[in-house]
Amino acid sequence: MKHSLYAGAATFALMAGAAQADKVTVFGPWLGPDQENVEAVLDGFAAATGHEYAYVGSDSFEQQIRIDAEAGSAPNVAVFPQPGLAADMAKSGFLTPLGDGTADWIRDNYAAGQSWVDLGTYPGPDGQDHLYGLFYKVDVKSLVWYVPENFEDAGYEVPNTMEELKALSDQIVADGETPWCIGLGSGGATGWPATDWVEDMMLRTQSPEDYDAWVANEMKFNDPKVVAAIEEFGAFARNDDYVAGGAGAVATTDFRDSPKGMFSSPPQCYLHRQASFIPAFFPEGTVVGEDADFFYFPAYESKDLGSPVLGAGTLWAITNDSPAAHDLIAYLQTPEAHETWMALTGFLTPHKGVDTSVFSDPTLKKMNDILLGATTFRFDGSDLMPGGVGAGTFWTGMVDYAGGKPAQEVADEIQSSWDALD
C-alpha cells in the first residue's frame, strides 16, 4: 500500500519520459560522500526512465546558479539549500512552475503537507503565485539531547510537553543540579544558536501564520508576540540556576563545546537543545542511541498548536525547462527515490509513503519519526530573512539579550536595522 501513495500523474510522466529519453543536467550543493549519495538516487532515476543525467556539485552554489541563469546556461534542475534564493529567481523568471497536480500530491503525501507547498510557492514574474519547488532531503532542528545514563541515575523521564520540560528543569535545580548547557559562540557567526531557540519558541507560542508574517517582516520584529518568544528563550538562557556556568557564560561558550558538560562526571548539565548535526561535537566514541540520545523539543499542551518542527532542507526546482526535468521531479515523488538515500546516510524525508525500516541508522529513523509526526514544518527563519538581519543583527541582538539587555530594546534595534535595508 505504501508504494501506491504517489500520484498516478507521476507514473505517467515517468512512462512518457522513458519513451523519449533525454539527458538531464542537475546542479546542487553536494560534494564528496553526499555527491555519491545523490548520484545513487539519480542512477535510480536513469534506470526507471531511460534518461541520462549529469550532476555537478559546488560549494559556491548560491553564487554560481545565479550567474548561470543570467548567462542562459542554467542546468535543467537546480537543488537550492535555501528557499529565499529560489524565490528571488522565480520572481526574475528563472524558474519553471512544477506540473499540475504536484501541490496536491505534496499535500497528500508529505507530513505537514501544506507547509511544504507554502515553502515552495512564490510569485513569478507575472506576480502570481506558482509552486516552483519540491523539497527533498530535510534536516530537523527541534531536538533536545541528553545522556540516558544521567537520566536513569537521577530518575528523570523524557518530557512530552513544554510544561513537563520546564517542570523537569525545575526538578533538576531542586536536586542541586544544573539542567541546561547553552552556548552561542561561533566565531564571526556568534549568536546563531539563539536564533534557533527563538524560532522554535515562536512556533510553540504563536500560529504558523504569525511565524510566516514575522519572517517576512509583515509582523515587526518588535511586535509583542516576538518579544514574548525571545523572553521564552530567556526563561532558559537568562536563568543562572538553569545554565551551566550561569547566564553570563551563555554568550561566551562556544556552541561546539557547550554539550560536553552532559558527559562530565558528575554531569555539569542534563539537557542541550541543538540540531541533528551536534553529535559531531560530542566526545570521541560517543554512540548516539546508547551514550547520548534525543527527544522532540516539545510543544505546549496548553497552546493547542500541534507538533511544530523547525528545520531546513533542499528544494529541487526546474531552471531550464525540458520534459526530462519534469520527469525527474516526478521520480522524486516515488518512495524509491527517498528510500535509496535513506539506506545510505544523512537523509530525512517528510514522505509518508516510505518504508522507514530501510534507514541505515536507527538514529536517523527516530529523527524521521519526529518529522513524520509534524503538524507544521517551518524553515529556519533567520535563513529566510535578509542577510543583514538573519545573519547580522538577529545574531548580535541575541548575544546582547543573553548578556542582559531587555528583549524589547533588542527587538527594537533589530527592527530598526531591517527598516534601514528598505
Side-chain angles (χ1 to χ4, degrees):
M1 284 298 291
K2 285 184 177 179
H3 287 258
S4 67
L5 280 173
Y6 65 92
T11 309
F12 291 126
L14 292 174
M15 292 169 64
Q20 221 171 16
D22 205 351
K23 188 168 187 175
V24 184
T25 53
V26 182
F27 181 42
W30 297 305
L31 296 165
D34 275 340
Q35 176 167 341
E36 295 176 13
N37 292 342
V38 74
E39 286 178 345
V41 175
L42 293 170
D43 286 343
F45 162 70
T49 64
H51 294 307
E52 296 180 357
Y53 75 87
Y55 172 82
V56 175
S58 172
D59 56 7
S60 57
F61 169 88
E62 289 86 350
Q63 295 79 22
Q64 193 61 46
I65 187 61
R66 188 177 289 280
I67 292 169
D68 291 348
E70 291 173 350
S73 57
N76 295 118
V77 174
V79 185
F80 291 86
Q82 294 183 1
L85 177 56
D88 290 344
M89 291 188 62
K91 188 175 181 180
S92 300
F94 292 131
L95 302 188
T96 299
L98 302 186
D100 292 343
T102 307
D104 289 336
W105 181 90
I106 295 169
R107 289 187 193 97
D108 291 342
N109 291 280
Y110 273 14
Q114 186 61 50
S115 296
W116 298 105
V117 173
D118 294 344
L119 281 167
T121 300
Y122 323 113
D126 59 0
Q128 300 298 307
D129 284 347
H130 304 279
L131 177 67
Y132 286 103
L134 176 75
F135 275 87
Y136 171 88
K137 190 178 186 298
V138 177
D139 299 307
V140 171
K141 295 193 171 196
S142 301
L143 303 174
V144 178
W145 296 85
Y146 71 105
V147 173
E149 185 179 350
N150 294 346
F151 266 48
E152 188 176 334
D153 289 347
Y156 301 144
E157 294 185 1
V158 169
N160 295 310
T161 67
M162 184 61 74
E163 289 91 344
E164 290 180 2
L165 180 60
K166 288 186 173 182
L168 173 60
S169 300
D170 290 337
Q171 181 61 53
I172 294 171
V173 172
D175 291 342
E177 305 290 341
T178 305
W180 292 90
C181 279
I182 304 175
L184 307 187
S186 186
T190 291
W192 73 258
T195 69
D196 285 359
W197 269 90
V198 173
E199 289 153 9
D200 253 334
M201 287 306 188
M202 275 294 289
L203 289 172
R204 281 153 183 73
T205 58
Q206 308 301 328
S207 69
E209 293 75 20
D210 281 340
Y211 182 92
D212 296 340
W214 168 56
V215 168
N217 203 30
E218 292 161 6
M219 175 191 291
K220 300 304 180 184
F221 216 108
N222 52 357
D223 185 281
K225 293 179 178 179
V226 182
V227 173
I230 295 172
E231 290 175 338
E232 284 281 332
F233 163 58
F236 294 86
R238 290 190 15 170
N239 184 334
D240 283 328
D241 291 337
Y242 266 28
V243 190
V250 168
T252 55
T253 300
D254 193 286
F255 84 93
R256 288 158 284 215
D257 296 329
S258 179
K260 293 175 182 173
M262 293 190 298
F263 301 94
S264 301
S265 183
Q268 295 175 15
C269 63
Y270 285 77
L271 301 159
H272 183 70
R273 185 229 155 275
Q274 190 51 274
S276 53
F277 68 81
I278 198 62
F281 303 104
F282 289 171
E284 188 174 349
T286 300
V287 178
V288 175
E290 297 176 17
D291 307 316
D293 209 342
F294 61 90
F295 56 88
Y296 167 65
F297 188 51
Y300 281 95
E301 187 175 27
S302 59
K303 300 285 187 184
D304 196 27
L305 289 169
S307 300
V309 169
L310 179 73
T314 58
L315 173 141
W316 295 53
I318 296 173
T319 41
N320 188 349
D321 197 8
S322 75
H326 287 277
D327 287 352
L328 176 53
I329 299 298
Y331 179 73
L332 294 177
Q333 296 169 44
T334 67
E336 176 190 351
H338 298 249
E339 291 167 2
T340 297
W341 203 329
M342 287 161 58
L344 299 169
T345 186
F347 185 86
L348 300 175
T349 176
H351 195 320
K352 295 185 292 187
V354 298
D355 177 2
T356 58
S357 71
V358 307
F359 270 109
S360 62
D361 181 344
T363 298
L364 289 175
K365 182 183 183 302
K366 185 177 175 183
M367 288 180 186
N368 211 82
D369 288 342
I370 290 172
L371 192 56
L372 292 177
T375 55
T376 300
F377 183 94
R378 284 297 183 268
F379 209 91
D380 181 301
S382 61
D383 283 348
L384 301 178
M385 295 171 184
V389 177
T393 54
F394 194 0
W395 289 353
T396 56
M398 289 303 95
V399 173
D400 292 342
Y401 175 67
K405 186 178 281 191
Q408 184 67 59
E409 188 177 338
V410 168
D412 288 342
E413 291 173 357
I414 296 172
Q415 184 57 48
S416 294
S417 76
W418 205 326
D419 293 341
L421 298 176
D422 297 334

